[in-house]
C-alpha cells in the first residue's frame, strides 16, 4: 500500500464567513473594525455618517478568516446619498453569517437604535450586541439593559459584550476570538494577506475625506466627496498621490480652500501624515477642489464617485 498523506494534512478544514458591523451613526463601528484589524481600513470621525460605503476588512489566521463588513450608520435618509447608504446596510445584512450590532453606552437608545433593532431582531443569525464606549459611559450597565430590551422578542442566540473599541485592545481581541468560533466551515474568500477589498486609491480617498470631515463645519462635511486620480511611486520610494475634493456649489469651493488656502493646506497635511504612517513611506499629496453641482442628489454623479 502506498503511504499517502492524510487529506487532513493536505488541506486542513477552514472556517470563514461574513460578519456585518451595523448600528446607528457615530457609535464606533469603524473604530471597532480598525481595532479588530490593528490597522486603518475605514475612516472614523466625531461626525455622524462618516462611513458611506460598505467596506470589507479581513482578518485571517492559518485556519480561519473573518470578512467584516463595516456599514454606514442606519438613519433616516435626506437625499439620494443617504438612501444609498441605507441600502448598503441592508445588502450587508442580507448575506452574512453573523451580525455585530454596536451601540453607544453613553446614552440610552434613540429612535435610530430602534430602527436598527427592528432590522436585526428579524434575522435568524448569531448576533453580538456590543455596548461600546465603556471608557466614557457613566451608567453602562443601565444603558446595556435598555438596549437588551429592544431585542426581547428575538429568538436565537445573542452574545453580549461591553467594551471600548478605542481603549481596550484585550477586550477587542477576546471578542474576535468569539467571532472566529462562530464561523461556519468554508473556503477562504480572500487571500490570506489581504486586509481589505478596497483599492489603495479608494482607501487614500477615504483618509482625505476623514480629514476634510473633521475640519469642515456645519453642512459642509456632508457635502464633500473625495477621489484619488493618480498614484505614482518615485524611484526613491516617495508616493505621489493626486486627489480631488468634490463640493456641490461654487460657494463651497472657497469655504473648503479657506483664506489664503490655509484650510485646504491643513486638510492636506493631516491626510498626508496619516498616509505616511500607514504606508510607512514619504508621501506627496496634491489636492484640488472641484465642483460637481448637486452631486448628492445626482444618481450619475453618485455612481461616478463610487457610491453604487
Ligand atoms: N470614548 C470613546 N469614543 C469612541 C470609542 N469608539 C469610537 N469612539 C469615537 O466615536 C466617534 C465615531 O466613531 P466611528 O468609528 O467613526 O463611528 P461609526 O459608528 O463608524 O460612525 P458612522 O460611520 O458615522 O456611522 C469617533 O470620534 C471615535 O473616536 C470608544 O470606545 N470610546
Ligand atoms: Mg463608520
Amino acid at each position: 500500500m502506498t503511504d499517502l498523506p492524510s487529506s487532513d494534512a493536505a488541506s486542513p478544514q477552514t472556517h470563514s464567513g461574513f460578519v456585518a458591523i451595523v448600528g446607528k451613526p457615530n457609535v464606533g463601528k469603524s473604530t471597532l473594525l480598525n481595532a479588530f484589524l490593528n490597522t486603518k481600513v475605514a475612516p472614523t470621525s466625531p461626525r455622524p455618517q462618516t462611513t458611506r460605503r460598505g467596506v470589507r476588512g479581513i482578518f485571517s489566521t492559518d485556519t480561519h478568516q473573518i470578512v467584516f463588513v463595516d456599514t454606514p450608520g442606519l438613519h433616516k435618509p435626506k437625499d439620494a446619498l443617504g438612501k444609498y447608504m441605507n441600502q448598503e446596510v441592508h445588502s450587508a445584512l442580507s448575506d452574512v453569517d453573523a451580525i455585530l450590532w454596536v451601540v453607544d453606552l453613553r446614552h440610552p437608545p434613540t429612535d435610530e437604535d430602534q430602527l436598527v433593532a427592528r432590522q436585526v431582531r428579524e434575522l435568524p443569525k448569531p448576533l453580538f450586541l456590543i455596548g461600546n464606549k465603556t471608557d466614557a459611559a457613566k451608567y453602562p450597565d443601565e444603558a446595556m439593559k435598555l438596549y437588551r430590551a429592544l431585542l426581547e422578542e428575538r429568538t436565537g442566540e445573542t452574545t453580549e459584550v461591553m467594551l471600548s473599541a478605542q481603549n481596550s485592545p484585550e477586550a477587542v481581541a477576546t471578542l474576535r476570538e468569539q467571532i472566529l468560533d462562530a464561523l461556519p466551515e468554508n473556503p477562504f474568500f480572500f487571500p490570506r494577506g489581504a486586509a481589505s477589498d478596497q483599492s489603495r486609491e479608494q482607501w487614500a480617498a477615504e483618509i482625505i475625506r476623514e480629514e476634510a470631515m473633521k475640519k469642515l463645519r456645519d453642512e459642509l462635511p456632508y457635502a464633500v466627496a473625495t477621489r484619488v486620480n493618480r498614484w505614482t511611486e518615485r524611484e526613491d520610494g516617495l508616493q505621489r498621490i493626486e486627489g480631488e475634493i468634490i463640493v456641490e456649489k461654487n460657494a463651497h469651493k472657497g469655504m473648503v480652500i479657506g483664506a489664503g488656502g490655509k484650510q485646504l493646506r491643513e486638510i492636506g497635511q493631516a491626510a498626508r501624515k496619516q498616509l505616511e504612517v500607514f504606508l510607512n513611506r514619504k508621501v506627496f499629496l496634491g489636492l484640488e477642489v472641484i465642483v460637481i453641482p448637486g452631486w448628492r442628489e445626482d444618481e450619475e454623479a453618485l455612481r461616478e464617485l463610487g457610491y453604487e
Side-chain angles (χ1 to χ4, degrees):
M1 221 170 86
T2 353
D3 199 11
L4 288 171
S6 81
S7 62
D8 270 349
S11 60
Q13 190 56 60
T14 54
H15 290 71
S16 73
F18 285 74
V19 176
I21 308 178
V22 300
K24 74 173 171 189
N26 211 37
V27 291
K29 300 178 294 297
S30 303
T31 305
L32 181 62
L33 173 70
N34 294 333
F36 279 137
L37 305 181
N38 291 317
T39 186
K40 176 111 180 196
V41 164
T44 63
S45 96
R47 299 197 191 283
Q49 298 173 32
T50 298
T51 301
R52 291 180 181 165
R53 270 187 301 118
V55 171
R56 290 169 184 169
I58 301 141
F59 178 82
S60 307
T61 68
D62 285 347
T63 53
H64 288 64
Q65 181 172 74
I66 315 175
V67 183
F68 291 106
V69 188
D70 183 22
T71 64
L74 201 62
H75 64 289
K76 295 190 184 105
K78 292 201 208 83
D79 50 30
L81 174 65
K83 283 193 201 117
Y84 162 81
M85 286 160 62
N86 279 0
Q87 270 164 25
E88 286 284 276
V89 184
H90 294 128
S91 84
L93 282 172
S94 70
D95 196 19
V96 281
D97 300 288
I99 300 164
L100 311 186
W101 174 26
V102 184
V103 299
D104 183 342
L105 291 182
R106 294 175 310 166
H107 310 288
T110 62
D111 287 355
E112 284 179 328
D113 290 295
Q114 303 219 15
L115 199 69
V116 184
R118 275 201 292 279
Q119 301 281 326
V120 300
R121 71 183 170 215
E122 306 301 328
L123 300 168
K125 318 221 164 142
L127 176 66
F128 293 77
L129 170 59
I130 298 166
N132 188 30
K133 309 198 188 183
T134 49
D135 58 296
K138 277 202 186 121
Y139 308 105
D141 295 312
E142 287 76 0
M144 196 68 176
K145 204 166 140 191
L146 298 173
Y147 286 103
R148 180 185 306 133
L150 300 182
L151 294 172
E152 226 158 44
E153 286 147 45
R154 182 174 189 268
T155 50
E157 204 187 322
T158 307
T159 309
E160 284 184 20
V161 179
M162 287 160 69
L163 50 69
S164 162
Q166 218 163 49
N167 293 337
S168 51
E170 303 82 14
V172 171
T174 306
L175 170 60
R176 201 175 55 200
E177 286 298 313
Q178 286 177 286
I179 299 167
L180 286 172
D181 287 340
L183 296 175
E185 273 185 21
N186 267 325
F188 280 14
F189 295 100
F190 289 90
R192 208 180 298 275
S196 154
D197 65 339
Q198 307 176 93
S199 68
R200 63 180 189 173
E201 286 82 5
Q202 284 171 326
W203 169 77
E206 288 289 72
I207 290 194
I208 299 163
R209 192 168 61 81
E210 173 185 307
E211 293 298 349
M213 285 193 76
K214 284 183 189 159
K215 296 227 157 46
L216 300 172
R217 298 268 160 268
D218 306 321
E219 180 58 10
L220 263 184
Y222 306 100
V224 298
T226 49
R227 159 164 87 184
V228 163
N229 299 323
R230 252 171 83 82
W231 184 320
T232 49
E233 189 169 336
R234 237 174 36 189
E235 245 168 47
D236 62 2
L238 179 113
Q239 309 292 304
R240 190 184 172 88
I241 301 172
E242 280 162 51
E244 282 172 347
I245 298 182
I246 294 109
V247 294
E248 287 186 314
K249 299 177 189 164
N250 263 323
H252 288 168
K253 199 171 163 175
M255 289 161 85
V256 171
I257 295 171
K262 183 165 178 274
Q263 177 146 261
L264 183 61
R265 223 168 18 249
E266 282 177 11
I267 294 170
Q269 273 166 7
R272 176 180 54 77
K273 275 191 197 141
Q274 278 212 62
L275 293 166
E276 286 185 338
V277 166
F278 292 104
L279 294 167
N280 198 19
R281 290 272 188 287
K282 277 254 165 253
V283 168
F284 168 85
L285 178 62
L287 284 181
E288 200 185 335
V289 184
I290 66 159
V291 182
I292 303 183
W295 67 263
R296 273 188 293 177
E297 282 293 3
D298 178 343
E299 302 284 345
E300 204 184 311
L302 284 172
R303 267 195 305 279
E304 205 183 298
L305 293 168
Y307 302 122
E308 60 178 339

